[in-house]
């Protein structure tokens, strides 16, 4: 592993902080530093993944606080970059009109946010590529936003089954207009965390900064 990656990673061991929620484009924080967004169907393990990435048990619980589930939540990393938690609107019991408004907001954020560098799409390895996932992939393709797919809960499958799902999903992504990468992951055990960090660090520009030091 190159020295610059481990140097970088120590930055992120300092706790990330919840900074702000947004309900519509006009309440988004100013686009200043790079961001990576996390999306995932309800129960795929998006909150557990954000907590694992930031080595904090309850960080992403913020997003599950009643009243905040419909919001885009921003978590600041110590260097000013942000991790952005996108709502999983699919399962909430709200009127169709409200759902459509969220979708428009998320789509707007994904397709227009100038500082957004990539999307982490968390899937349950046992149920990959749902309609929800395909919706996000489609939006990412609109601006050729890179996507890194986490096949989470890999600990729930035998190694051979997990490997076979990995190959299937990677094949399905071959012709995407976006640069899509795929990996097995377990938010529970930490399997695959190093690989995930390599992507995050690449997107957030940390490697470049480390090069200059
Ligand atoms: P979210 O709704 O996508 O934010 O999902 P959560 O992070 O709340 O996780 C949903 C459930 O899946 C919880 O019971 C987690 O403990 C469990 N879970 C999340 N990640 C993993 C994993 O990697 N392995 C296993 N076995 N369970 C997980």
């Amino acid at each position: 592993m190159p020295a610059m990656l481990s140097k970088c990673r120590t930055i992120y061991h300092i706790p990330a902080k919840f900074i702000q929620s947004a309900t519509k484009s006009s309440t988004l924080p100013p686009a200043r530093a790079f961001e990576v967004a996390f999306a995932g169907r309800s129960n795929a393990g998006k909150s557990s993944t954000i907590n694992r990435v930031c080595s904090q048990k309850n960080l992403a619980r913020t997003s599950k606080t009643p009243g905040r589930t419909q919001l885009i939540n921003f978590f600041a990393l110590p260097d000013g970059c942000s991790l952005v938690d996108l709502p999983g609107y699919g399962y909430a019991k709200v009127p169709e009109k409200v759902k459509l408004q969220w979708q428009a907001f998320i789509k707007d954020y994904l397709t227009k946010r100038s500082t957004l560098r990539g999307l982490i799409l968390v899937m349950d390895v046992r149920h990959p590529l749902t309609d929800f996932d395909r919706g996000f992939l489609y939006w990412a393709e609109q601006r050729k936003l890179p996507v890194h797919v986490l096949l989470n809960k890999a600990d729930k499958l035998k190694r051979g089954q997990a490997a076979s799902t990995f190959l299937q999903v990677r094949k399905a992504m071959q012709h995407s207009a976006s640069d899509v990468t795929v990996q097995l992951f377990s938010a529970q055990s930490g399997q695959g965390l190093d690989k995930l960090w390599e992507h995050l660090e690449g997107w957030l520009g940390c490697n470049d900064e480390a090069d200059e030091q």
Side-chain angles (χ1 to χ4, degrees):
M1 173 97 25
M4 60 186 175
L5 283 186
S6 45
K7 195 196 293 176
C8 240
R9 194 166 298 131
T10 55
I11 296 176
Y12 295 122
H13 282 158
I14 305 165
K17 276 195 201 135
F18 170 74
I19 40 169
Q20 190 175 331
S21 296
T23 44
K24 49 182 188 261
S25 298
S26 59
T27 57
L28 285 170
R32 287 204 190 102
F34 288 150
E35 298 168 2
V36 171
F38 287 71
R41 203 182 86 148
S42 180
N43 215 38
K46 176 170 55 96
S47 308
S48 307
T49 298
I50 294 174
N51 290 339
R52 171 63 76 174
V53 162
C54 298
S55 307
Q56 286 174 74
K57 280 201 176 120
N58 291 320
L59 185 67
R61 209 172 57 182
T62 315
S63 334
K64 297 203 162 183
T65 310
R68 283 209 178 134
T69 50
Q70 305 155 21
L71 312 174
I72 294 185
N73 293 301
F74 288 80
F75 300 97
L77 293 169
D79 62 354
C81 291
S82 298
L83 302 182
V84 183
D85 188 357
L86 302 178
Y89 55 83
Y91 285 78
K93 287 183 187 136
V94 293
E96 195 57 27
K97 191 177 154 206
V98 177
K99 254 187 214 178
L100 290 174
Q101 281 168 355
W102 295 353
Q103 283 185 34
F105 174 37
I106 297 167
K107 179 184 165 214
D108 226 42
Y109 170 81
L110 275 178
T111 53
K112 297 190 185 147
R113 182 78 165 174
S114 60
T115 41
L116 180 61
R117 301 278 296 185
L119 172 68
I120 303 286
L121 190 51
V122 184
M123 302 180 193
D124 185 324
V125 69
R126 297 164 301 173
H127 316 286
L129 292 175
T130 60
D131 288 348
F132 175 95
D133 302 322
R134 289 183 189 280
F136 272 84
L137 287 163
Y138 176 76
W139 287 337
E141 283 181 335
Q142 303 303 297
R143 65 180 270 193
K144 297 192 171 56
L145 183 73
V147 180
H148 187 58
V149 174
L150 291 183
L151 296 172
N152 187 38
K153 307 195 187 184
D155 58 281
K156 292 249 191 200
L157 292 185
K158 293 208 171 92
R159 199 179 284 196
Q161 284 175 299
S164 153
T165 306
F166 166 78
L167 291 174
Q168 277 169 26
V169 173
R170 203 175 58 171
K171 190 167 178 206
M173 296 294 99
Q174 250 169 11
H175 301 296
S176 171
S178 291
D179 178 13
V180 184
T181 45
V182 184
Q183 73 161 99
L184 290 166
F185 187 73
S186 168
Q188 183 169 286
S189 72
Q191 176 193 336
L193 187 62
D194 267 10
K195 191 171 255 186
L196 171 55
W197 263 118
E198 281 177 33
H199 276 270
L200 292 174
E201 286 167 356
W203 284 344
L204 294 175
C206 195
N207 287 338
D208 300 339
E209 283 172 19
D211 273 343
E212 287 161 17
Q213 284 168 5

